[in-house]
Amino acid sequence: MTTFSRRSFIEASAAASALAALGGVAGLRQAVAATAQGGEQWVKSVCRYCGTGCGLFIGVREGKVFAVRGDKDNHNDGFLCLKGFLLPQILTAPDRCLHPLVRKEGKLVRASWEEAMALVAARFRESIEKYGPDSVAFYGSGQGLTEETYCANKLFKAGIRTNNVEGNPRLCMASAVGGYVTTFGKDEPMGCYEDIDHADVFLLIGSNTAEAHPIIFQRVVRRKEAKREVKVIVLDPRRTPTARIADLHISFTPGNDLAILNAMAHVLLKEGLVDEDFIAKHVTFGEGGEVNKSWEDYKAFLAEYTPAKAAAIAGCSAADIVTAARWFGERGKAAMSMWTMGLNQRTKGVWANNLVHNLHLITGKIGTPGNTPFSLTGQPNACGGVRDGGALSHLLPYGRLIANDAHRAEMEKLWGVPEGSLNPKPGLATVDMFRALERGDIKCLYVMCTNPGQSLPNVLRYRKAMERADAFVVVSEAFHPTRTSELADVVLPAALWAEKEGVYGCAERRYQLMEQAIPPAGEARPDFAILCDLAARLGYGKLLPFKTPADVWAEILTVCKGTVYDFTGMTRERLKEAHGLLWPLPTPGHPGTKRRYVRGEDPLVPADHAERILFYGRPDKRAVVWLRPQKPPEEVPDAEYPFYFTTGREIEHWHTATMTRNCRELANTNLESMAQIHPADAAKLGLRPGAPVRITSRRGSQVFRTKITDGAKPGVVFVHMHDPERMCNVITIDAVDPASKQPEFKVCAVKLEKV
Amino acid sequence: MVIAGVVIETHPGKAPEVAVRLAASGEVRVEGGDGDRRLAVVVSAATGAELERWAEALLRSDAAILGVFPTFVGQDGADPQQEAAASGRWSVPQ
Amino acid sequence: MKRSWVVLLAPAVLVVGVALAGPPRKPGKAAPQRAHPQVDPTEACDVCHTDATPEVVAEWFAGKHGVNNVKCFVCHGSVGADFVLRAPASRCIGCHAEEVASLAHPTLTGKDCFSCHPPHLLSPHSRQRATTGGVR
């Protein structure tokens, strides 16, 4: 028998306690993750908000969601931003749409599902028969579940045979898509969030990451805390909370960042920071739409983009451009670029995307940990549902194009429809679609899970279009009223987030299954069920023969097989057990792909490929460095409209705030759109804090209260997009990027008048 | 004599080198670690106040250390501060 | 403020290992939960608090919650009926579920998060430097 002295017993206890606490983390995790603990259940799911796609567990007690907690085994490491934190409240919001509504004698009145759906089917069928398939259209959403968007896409393109299938990612990500496709041949980033943990230099451009992608921002902050030499470069006309961690913040006049990016390339070239070997092996050059230029052509093109010239164009310092380029290009340092709406919501959005890719391609900073151009996605399922699923008017699922005969033939086979079923002509992109509604060419519009009555640019024009007597607008929505449902002829109550199951695909090619936690509120139904019902009533039940979203997923797996997305290995069971999976994931045992185009990581690169990188997206297996000159936005300030008007987001709210305004803590916090003005401008205009100011563009006028902030740029007024009562889009311009058709929400010209 | 089991949290990857420094200091007995960011140590001092001062000094002097967390505190012999604690007074951070 | 380690001795129970059991317990010595003074609910908190409680605002700003925009209402609720002065641990589980579960440890009986972690600065330990690295 061993005898302990009191002292040694205490010491042993102390040691045991500390040691247990070390390994205790895993045990704690189990305790927290246990289901059915005292009547509580924790259901694995994903945040409803942004494209970061934070994993979380939904806490359910007595059939109600009472809490959420971050999933520590997912990329967000258990963290949620303040919006995700408050999610439970959206489910029981007082303005939940609980019953179908039909407009009768000018007013929306409660109806039964049967009456509402019979009316929708009748009006659509009548229009198709009388005016043809292209007289109807579908406008969906990057918030719809993958299975739902897939069903709509199939019903409209293969059943009704119209390619008028669009979605709100046209308003936010189309230029990023265009950038990836023109540069690499295929859409979607090649890196992943983990690259943040390895980067030495961050280039944040056109992104207020701190407010729009807080958990990604947090990861950048942690990287900076872990390695003090990490540099953060922020390019933004405004000094936002993101600039708080910037080692270099470059403010410039809106729309002139193309010059800065070219000038950075100029410096990289001049200072010998380019990787000629990489360029020789993996890069080709192009201009306009032709891949017909050379490295020498590109060098000649860059010659005029001196830092001094770019600084003069962009209104910043040449020295700062040089510094940014040097930090980006420093040999041995990993560089990660991240951007979002500041680059995408532009008439030169695709070009801006190309120019960021150029920096990575000419330095070879791509495809190794921390080296990657990473587009941040706005919506939770813009990638998975709409981009990847091909639910835009020119696309078919998983990298296929309407205009490509072989692709159409493939889809006709996969969808089991006769050869020649798919209309070979691409449909109308969003702004054109709403203009067709305005003209009367489109008579029936089905809007799912989005709010164009608030979110379209030059919104008053398109609200009028939706209000036309001969326009039949169906809105499937979880909330009523919204600025769109208030215009509808039929409002269908949609199940919201925890009330349905399906897959979301976020910015880093991560697909995640959201399990259903509670039944739908009131009479709400999942969009999946609504679409299958509509298909049956229109005579296309055979195209959507699905009983559950899992059935849809099984079909989706057959459609992605053999494409560059190939995620055949992501069975439902695998998704249930995993905490998100990154495609490509072509076989059951495959772990998923962190870095595309990289031998040994990407299963689509042959293991014996001679080079480490293979840009298999393009026929010549090279990425394209595009020669994109500086071109101004569509509408810039002049004598009559002397201010820049720009729009964006704040952390408290998401999109048109239909969900966030229902959270107690957020209802009064920053919901009101205010005109954010620089103190010097305010002084000149005689504006004091809170004073009303009328902002007028060539399209419309709106009064906002003044918020004076020295983070604003002189000559630039910023208004956020969340307020349903003071809509910034009364003012914004509906000019679009000719390649991507994405509108220029970020720049137009206005005048300001004290009211 | 107050004896404490303590978890020391470091910046990621820094625990091994901190362990070496602590072991060399002779102030603590390093019991183990997770090899990445946490160490389990046992430390003793005459009084609880002394232990606190030791913790603060450690935090100040070693940039790799993020936090010092007691998991267990035991008493071998009388400690005048224990009387004060037992009276129920303890301060709340303002 | 000073945290005395000796406090952990009372009651004098020797413990070995980490017990994982049950939901977190309520704090034994919670501060009284007052209502927030009547204010314009659309005003940002720092409009008043930069003057009323400058050290609180400064500490929050310098800490992890500040740089990551975990704003006041996340812990305190709105200024309406749901306002809480001292957030109960259950409120923190959104991001810190494991840490909240750790309150079940017997040495933490009667404690909540803020028994050890200074509110607003929210450092791992009292008087810990704000670990925001190169962040200003």
Side-chain angles (χ1 to χ4, degrees), chain A residues 307-326:
Chain A
K309 173 145 186 229
I313 293 171
C316 64
S317 123
D320 283 347
I321 296 177
V322 174
T323 304
R326 283 181 181 159

Side-chain angles (χ1 to χ4, degrees), chain A residues 24-227:
Chain A
V25 172
L28 282 169
R29 206 167 292 180
Q30 279 156 32
V32 167
T35 55
Q37 183 192 339
E40 270 173 24
Q41 217 202 342
W42 290 93
V43 177
K44 183 157 64 69
S45 186
V46 177
C47 181
R48 179 57 178 78
Y49 296 124
C50 81
T52 306
C54 294
L56 49 73
F57 286 88
I58 301 174
V60 182
R61 203 191 277 144
E62 286 159 23
K64 292 203 170 43
V65 173
F66 74 95
V68 288
R69 63 173 171 83
D71 181 353
K72 206 123 170 105
D73 291 315
N74 210 319
H75 69 82
N76 52 304
D77 200 20
F79 293 106
L80 299 173
C81 80
L82 56 87
K83 293 185 294 297
F85 202 89
L86 300 172
L87 269 170
Q89 295 176 53
I90 70 174
L91 294 164
T92 50
D95 59 345
R96 279 296 302 275
C97 182
L98 300 176
H99 309 286
L101 302 169
V102 171
R103 193 173 293 276
K104 292 179 179 161
E105 277 150 33
K107 287 190 66 181
L108 283 168
V109 297
R110 185 170 160 176
S112 67
W113 268 104
E114 179 55 41
E115 183 187 343
M117 290 306 292
L119 176 61
V120 172
R123 292 293 297 263
F124 270 70
R125 201 181 312 115
E126 184 193 326
S127 189
I128 294 165
E129 276 163 21
K130 238 168 135 175
Y131 303 105
D134 287 334
S135 68
V136 306
F138 176 85
Y139 184 64
S141 173
Q143 299 157 61
L145 299 169
T146 299
E147 298 88 333
E148 292 165 348
T149 300
Y150 177 86
C151 284
N153 204 21
K154 190 179 183 189
L155 168 61
F156 277 77
K157 286 180 181 160
I160 297 172
R161 300 188 185 182
T162 176
N163 292 327
N164 288 340
V165 173
E166 272 286 293
N168 58 14
R170 180 71 69 178
L171 305 182
C172 62
M173 299 311 296
S175 289
V177 176
Y180 278 117
V181 169
T182 50
T183 297
F184 298 100
K186 291 291 178 186
D187 186 18
E188 299 290 5
M190 62 282 309
C192 59
Y193 296 153
E194 202 193 88
D195 283 307
I196 296 172
D197 305 336
H198 300 281
D200 301 303
V201 179
F202 291 96
L203 177 65
L204 303 179
I205 175 168
S207 164
N208 180 6
T209 329
E211 296 203 76
H213 293 92
I215 297 303
I216 289 179
F217 179 77
Q218 183 188 19
R219 199 161 177 171
V220 174
V221 169
R222 276 148 87 195
R223 174 62 180 160
K224 216 176 179 310
E225 288 171 357
K227 191 173 179 187

